[in-house]
Amino acid sequence: MTKKGRVFSGARPTGRQHLGNYLGAMRNYVALQDDYDCIYCVVDVHALTTLETTLELKQNTYDMALDWLAVGIRPEESVVFVQSHVPQVMELHTYLSMVTPLGKLTDLPTFKDKVRENPNNINYGLVGYPVLMAADILLYGTDFVPVGIDQAPHLEFTREVVRSFNYRYGKPVLKEPQMKATSVPKVLGIDGVQKMSKSLNNHIELAATPEETTQRVMQMVTDPARVRRSDPGNPDVCNVFSLHKIFSPQADVDMVNVECRRAGIGCVDCKKLLAKNLNAHLESFRARRTDLDKNPAYIWDVLDDGARRANVLAEGTMVNVRSAIGLP
Ligand code: TRP
């Protein structure tokens, strides 16, 4: 079957994935496989720009890859690999850096955010983060990059660097990729205020046991204006309801939507219902994950094989890049 083009996406190795990762990226990764040739990369080198220690890097890489495969990424079709296993990306990064004005990097909102978050670790690699991301994308002749809106400036930067490079060396060696913006729901953490993230510990892990999941759901913050059981609630501002809309059957969504507003159902029962539906939704994922986890060597084999396939594509690009530059 001929596909509609090549998709590339990368994610930093954050270990066991949570509902935010699932709804924001993983679910989409799985779906894209039907129509595109997909490459999914664990960007361990990008992680180094902010990591304080690398002690957990290997385990986090394994855990994320395991979740990716368990959720339905098919390594026979898609290339799944670790960024540092194809070192040509570092080489391309260096060449791209020569056509990148420094001010363009320091002006990026994503860079300014990182500076604010880590004022004591503003390293050279951090400034070059978008250049390395552009190298990821361009090394594999990518047509489409599925990313959230927060990454849009990096995609725009990538497109600009392609034009600068091709113009500078007089040949259309690099392909301008397109952003594939996907409508992803903004997934809030159990605090109901901030985006779900592991670092804020407001997340619900996909691989948690049903009991742990229920416990986390029961801790979720609901409509703050609903203080007593007898107060009517407003599902429109309730994070529990947001998740019902994603994970519960329509009949349950409709029931909660009506009963919450007239205090017919309390938050405790509403959450129990969500936990039940969420656990049902995750059941097959968890079974598959447990199964895959029995043979860690298989996960590493998949990543090795992915690196081999990625390397073929990468070397093809680099031959043209080196020749276009005129390296002796
Ligand atoms: N910068 C992306 C993020 O923080 C991760 C990433 C690295 C990426 N290289 C990429 C995403 C290439 C898409 C394509 O989420």
Side-chain angles (χ1 to χ4, degrees):
M1 188 181 65
T2 55
K3 304 241 170 144
K4 296 191 225 161
R6 181 168 292 144
V7 156
F8 182 100
S9 192
R12 275 170 287 180
T14 48
R16 292 155 68 117
Q17 301 290 282
H18 55 65
L19 285 182
N21 303 126
Y22 173 65
L23 299 169
M26 297 165 75
R27 192 167 68 153
N28 194 26
Y29 285 3
V30 174
L32 285 166
Q33 296 179 112
D34 295 337
D35 294 324
Y36 299 90
D37 291 314
C38 298
I39 307 183
Y40 297 127
C41 180
V42 181
V43 294
D44 56 342
V45 184
H46 275 111
L48 297 179
T49 59
T50 50
L51 282 186
E52 276 163 37
T53 145
T54 52
L55 288 174
E56 291 171 356
L57 198 51
K58 195 167 174 194
Q59 186 66 42
N60 282 341
T61 297
Y62 174 87
D63 286 336
M64 190 163 86
L66 173 61
D67 281 352
W68 281 3
L69 299 183
V71 84
I73 290 177
R74 302 184 286 273
E76 313 77 32
E77 291 167 47
S78 303
V79 174
V80 184
F81 77 107
V82 177
Q83 187 182 32
S84 66
H85 294 178
V86 185
Q88 288 94 327
V89 75
M90 266 83 84
E91 183 188 358
L92 183 57
H93 159 271
T94 302
Y95 299 148
L96 296 178
S97 76
M98 309 301 171
V99 296
T100 302
L102 186 56
K104 201 177 258 187
L105 298 173
T106 51
D107 279 349
L108 283 169
T110 41
F111 177 70
K112 291 179 181 161
D113 289 346
K114 285 275 155 46
V115 169
R116 216 172 304 125
E117 288 161 23
N118 312 289
N120 300 320
N121 185 18
I122 307 166
N123 59 71
Y124 176 58
L126 194 61
V127 182
Y129 185 107
V131 187
L132 185 61
M133 177 164 161
D136 280 328
I137 296 165
L138 303 174
L139 193 55
Y140 304 103
T142 303
D143 298 296
F144 302 102
V145 185
V147 282
I149 195 73
D150 62 311
Q151 294 292 312
H154 289 165
L155 238 289
E156 204 36 57
F157 168 79
T158 303
R159 292 160 59 83
E160 285 168 14
V161 95
V162 168
R163 297 196 283 265
S164 307
F165 186 92
N166 290 347
Y167 179 76
R168 163 87 171 260
Y169 298 112
K171 288 198 191 101
V173 243
L174 299 176
K175 195 196 285 184
E176 216 175 297
Q178 284 174 41
M179 173 158 172
K180 207 169 173 47
T182 39
S183 64
V184 291
K186 185 171 180 202
V187 188
L188 299 179
I190 60 172
D191 53 26
V193 180
Q194 289 185 276
K195 187 172 150 180
M196 187 177 286
S197 93
K198 186 173 172 170
S199 54
L200 294 171
N201 191 26
N202 64 0
H203 61 307
I204 299 178
E205 269 181 12
L206 299 177
T209 63
E211 295 72 31
E212 287 161 351
T213 305
T214 304
Q215 211 174 29
R216 291 298 261 182
V217 170
M218 296 316 287
Q219 291 166 8
M220 283 179 73
V221 173
T222 56
D223 171 7
R226 189 174 188 192
V227 182
R228 279 173 296 266
R229 166 70 180 80
S230 55
D231 295 338
N234 180 4
D236 302 331
V237 299
C238 181
N239 192 28
V240 174
F241 188 61
S242 304
L243 294 185
H244 268 303
K245 284 192 278 189
I246 299 168
F247 294 107
S248 297
Q250 193 57 43
D252 287 353
V253 177
D254 294 341
M255 183 278 287
V256 169
N257 196 16
V258 170
E259 297 302 330
C260 172
R261 289 179 207 277
R262 63 173 185 214
I265 183 174
C267 293
V268 171
D269 286 333
C270 182
K271 289 181 192 180
K272 279 188 188 154
L273 184 62
L274 174 63
K276 180 178 90 109
N277 291 333
L278 188 54
N279 281 324
H281 188 93
L282 293 172
E283 194 176 291
S284 61
F285 162 84
R286 287 169 176 165
R288 218 177 117 60
R289 188 183 183 281
T290 304
D291 218 39
L292 285 167
D293 198 20
K294 287 181 187 142
N295 185 9
Y298 170 75
I299 306 295
W300 294 113
D301 281 349
V302 163
L303 294 173
D304 279 348
D305 177 61
R308 261 191 300 278
R309 287 149 70 197
N311 184 71
V312 173
L313 297 168
E315 204 38 48
T317 302
M318 289 316 292
V319 166
N320 293 333
V321 164
R322 295 177 199 120
S323 147
I325 296 174
L327 293 166

